Amino acid sequence: MNRQIQKVHRLPALSIVLWVVLSAVLLYPSSVLFAAEEAQPLSDSERSMAAQINNVFRRAAAVVRPAVVSIRVSKTVPPSGFSPGGEQGGLGSGVIIDKRGYVITNHHVVANTSKIEVLLADGRHFEGMEKLLDPDTDLALVRIEPKGQTLPTARFGDSEQAQVGDFVLAIGSPFGEGLAQTVTSGIISYKGRQTHILGQWGYEDFIQTDAAINVGNSGGPLVNLYGEVIGINSNIFSPSGYSAGYGFAVPSNIAKYVVKKLIEKKHVQRGWLGVYMAGLDTLRKTPKENREPSLQKFLRENPDLLDEIPESLQGVLVTGVNPGDPAEQGGIKTKDVILQFNGTKLTTARELQDIIARLDPGTLVKFVIWRNGSEITREITLGDRDTARSRYVQGITPKEKTARLGITIKALNPELARFFGYNKNLHGLVILSVQPGSVAEKSGLKIGDIVVSADGVKIQGSQEGVERLKAIVKKADLTKEGLEMVVRNKSGQRTVIVKNEK
């Protein structure tokens, strides 16, 4: 409780100091500001003010920096017609959040790696003994073994308390180890941003910041002025590939939940409802032409619906219900407005999705629903999100199969690209399913991989490419030599030798 009171009093005081300093800069005559020969030394009160500002930033950085690490990764790539093979390396950032040796970073930093090395700020090196992954949030844990040594740790803050305009620091290793422990500053530019980089099944509730984030910063912390981690830096939006002032971090409240589940169960299970939905307030404020195509179609089919719902009503409009899913089984219908979930009032679809994502499959939940002018309640047992995803993929699985490998493939289209988190204009053949125990699974092919080439032959993203791949697989000797395939996903490109090891 004291810490909360301290927060309330410290921020306004700092805001007043910064306001006074900025006002002085903006209002002071430019001829005085920029004429060095006429400038006067700072007064004692001004120097005191500047010192207070510096001390706040210094202390916030000093609290977290010892726990910020560089993460060096490598993977073994077999030789191919495209490269000589060998070890390929990469670098990211992370932060130690548990003295037992758990380091949080991004999924895309450590996925598909054969070796992980964690480099501390004090010069110590540790080998990553275990990696625990949650691709749906682009988060991962790397476990190191301290072997009796004391590890510095950072503390999570409450990302819900962070507001647009708050000062933040980003810490990490942009462009490599030579710039390790780099600290940049900025403000929170937006909360709840969705970039669609994680695909249809990803959980995106990003904190947007203009603090400089570049290649190598991935996995490092976004820190508030209390020295608390309020986000894990994940990705940037930039035409050039360098910081353009648009960085995105996974909120700490999501990260805390993921960390807890990964440590306890090695995997994050999530509840599943099975509805399509949109916040009423968002629908009312968004111009028709800017609405998602699926929402435009729904409202064209129900042109009077928004007029029939009282303007004062706040909640989440159900625009579709998946057959057989918990929502349908529990009595939720299209055009219902969900007002409350377990006693919590709702205004956005994102709120409901995030709450359900933090509940285990099998949890019994209670809804208050507005339907045709009346409020009703429904109790529903949540399903399993992973099971639902598998069922969805099977539903879009085409006839194109390579039975010898145990995979199902299809040419990318905008729907599939969004589902897997790729650019909608990307072309290629994407793997939709991998049969358990198949040669493909044993060789490391994964759902969402895009096939670049097979046996040195480039594979086009078309029906012709499907037939070409099937012909190559049919002729391949999967027992002795194996089939060399080049595939890529959001983590990069890799070569896979598909071989039926006995």
Side-chain angles (χ1 to χ4, degrees):
M1 183 172 181
N2 289 337
R3 185 167 65 87
Q4 183 64 32
I5 293 173
Q6 187 180 30
K7 283 186 180 181
V8 171
H9 289 289
R10 285 172 64 187
L11 273 179
L14 178 61
S15 300
I16 292 171
V17 171
L18 292 175
W19 180 84
V20 171
V21 173
L22 291 173
S23 297
V25 171
L26 293 172
L27 299 177
Y28 216 64
S30 59
S31 59
V32 175
L33 281 174
F34 298 103
E37 64 276 11
E38 298 180 15
Q40 298 297 315
L42 295 179
S43 67
D44 289 344
S45 62
E46 289 170 331
R47 290 179 66 86
S48 176
M49 236 187 291
Q52 290 180 55
I53 297 170
N54 283 337
N55 282 336
V56 170
F57 281 84
R58 287 172 183 168
R59 290 174 64 183
V63 167
V64 180
R65 284 183 65 196
V68 178
V69 302
S70 296
I71 297 179
R72 188 187 295 158
V73 300
S74 62
K75 57 184 177 181
T76 304
V77 178
S80 69
F82 296 88
S83 72
E87 291 290 315
Q88 288 186 354
L91 190 76
S93 302
V95 58
I96 305 171
I97 45 84
D98 190 299
K99 289 185 179 296
R100 291 173 292 178
Y102 288 104
V103 180
I104 191 169
T105 184
N106 285 146
H107 172 270
H108 75 261
V109 170
V110 296
N112 301 320
T113 57
S114 56
K115 183 179 180 182
I116 301 172
E117 187 177 9
V118 176
L119 294 69
L120 273 62
D122 59 15
R124 286 180 288 172
H125 290 209
F126 292 90
E127 181 182 353
M129 306 303 295
E130 182 181 24
K131 58 183 177 183
L132 305 168
L133 306 175
D134 185 42
D136 290 344
T137 56
D138 192 30
L139 292 176
L141 282 182
V142 174
R143 184 178 61 82
I144 60 178
E145 291 185 353
K147 296 180 180 178
Q149 300 182 53
T150 301
L151 297 176
T153 59
R155 182 179 60 188
F156 280 124
D158 184 354
S159 54
E160 287 298 317
Q161 297 299 315
Q163 299 297 321
V164 172
D166 287 359
F167 284 103
V168 287
L169 307 176
I171 310 177
S173 304
F175 307 116
E177 293 174 57
L179 296 177
Q181 293 289 309
T182 292
V183 181
T184 58
S185 68
I187 64 169
I188 294 176
S189 308
Y190 193 90
K191 289 184 67 180
R193 185 70 75 191
Q194 298 180 50
T195 65
H196 304 297
I197 194 170
L198 299 181
Q200 180 176 333
W201 292 84
Y203 284 99
E204 298 189 8
D205 195 18
F206 291 123
I207 297 173
Q208 181 182 327
T209 178
D210 63 352
I213 297 173
N214 283 291
V215 176
N217 274 112
S218 292
L222 189 71
V223 181
N224 64 19
L225 293 189
Y226 306 120
E228 299 167 333
V229 177
I230 60 166
I232 301 299
N233 299 321
S234 175
N235 61 91
I236 63 174
F237 176 80
S238 171
S240 66
Y242 301 101
S243 175
Y246 304 98
F248 304 97
V250 181
S252 59
N253 286 9
I254 291 178
K256 283 186 282 189
Y257 174 80
V258 170
V259 166
K260 181 175 183 292
K261 290 299 182 181
L262 288 179
I263 291 177
E264 290 178 352
K265 299 183 178 180
K266 311 295 185 183
H267 172 69
V268 181
Q269 283 187 299
R270 293 183 168 92
W272 176 252
L273 184 60
V275 297
Y276 298 93
M277 53 192 176
L280 277 178
D281 195 48
T282 303
L283 274 178
R284 290 164 177 154
K285 291 180 179 179
T286 305
K288 293 181 180 180
E289 62 275 11
N290 293 340
R291 292 169 180 158
E292 291 283 338
S294 58
L295 282 177
Q296 293 184 28
K297 180 176 182 294
F298 173 78
L299 292 174
R300 282 197 303 269
E301 295 171 351
N302 301 276
D304 300 323
L305 181 59
L306 287 181
D307 293 331
E308 295 169 355
I309 298 174
E311 189 70 27
S312 60
L313 203 66
Q314 295 292 320
V316 176
L317 176 65
V318 177
T319 61
V321 179
N322 291 331
D325 273 346
E328 184 190 56
Q329 295 175 0
I332 291 180
K333 298 181 179 181
T334 301
K335 298 191 283 189
D336 282 349
V337 177
I338 301 174
L339 304 177
Q340 295 182 29
F341 178 90
N342 279 354
T344 300
K345 292 183 179 180
L346 301 170
T347 57
T348 69
R350 175 59 56 179
E351 289 174 328
L352 180 55
Q353 181 177 341
D354 286 350
I355 294 172
I356 292 174
R358 298 178 196 180
L359 295 175
D360 290 332
T363 302
L364 182 66
V365 295
K366 183 178 180 180
F367 291 88
V368 177
I369 295 167
W370 183 91
R371 179 186 297 167
N372 298 327
S374 302
E375 288 190 11
I376 58 176
T377 61
R378 290 289 184 270
E379 290 190 343
I380 296 174
T381 300
L382 296 179
D384 186 291
R385 191 171 183 271
D386 288 340
T387 302
R389 175 159 39 187
S390 298
R391 194 166 64 247
Y392 178 89
V393 170
Q394 291 170 6
I396 59 175
T397 297
K399 295 180 180 179
E400 291 85 353
K401 294 183 179 180
T402 52
R404 294 191 69 202
L405 299 189
I407 62 174
T408 306
I409 53 175
K410 187 175 183 179
L412 270 176
N413 54 35
E415 179 191 8
L416 285 174
R418 182 177 179 184
F419 179 84
F420 288 111
Y422 297 126
N423 185 294
K424 65 180 180 180
N425 297 318
L426 186 65
H427 297 284
L429 295 185
V430 64
I431 297 176
L432 294 182
S433 67
V434 179
Q435 183 179 341
S438 65
V439 60
E441 183 188 54
K442 293 176 181 178
S443 301
L445 292 177
K446 300 180 183 298
I447 293 174
D449 281 346
I450 295 174
V451 180
V452 176
S453 69
D455 196 25
V457 178
K458 187 175 181 180
I459 303 298
Q460 302 292 335
S462 62
Q463 185 60 38
E464 180 183 349
V466 171
E467 296 304 323
R468 176 172 293 183
L469 178 60
K470 289 166 67 176
I472 292 172
V473 171
K474 186 176 181 179
K475 295 178 181 179
D477 183 349
L478 300 181
T479 303
K480 294 182 179 180
E481 298 179 359
L483 173 63
E484 178 185 277
M485 295 179 65
V486 177
V487 297
R488 61 171 168 154
N489 55 29
K490 289 182 292 183
S491 299
Q493 185 166 297
R494 69 188 192 279
T495 300
V496 177
I497 302 300
V498 183
K499 192 174 181 180
N500 195 5
E501 301 283 357
K502 297 295 185 182

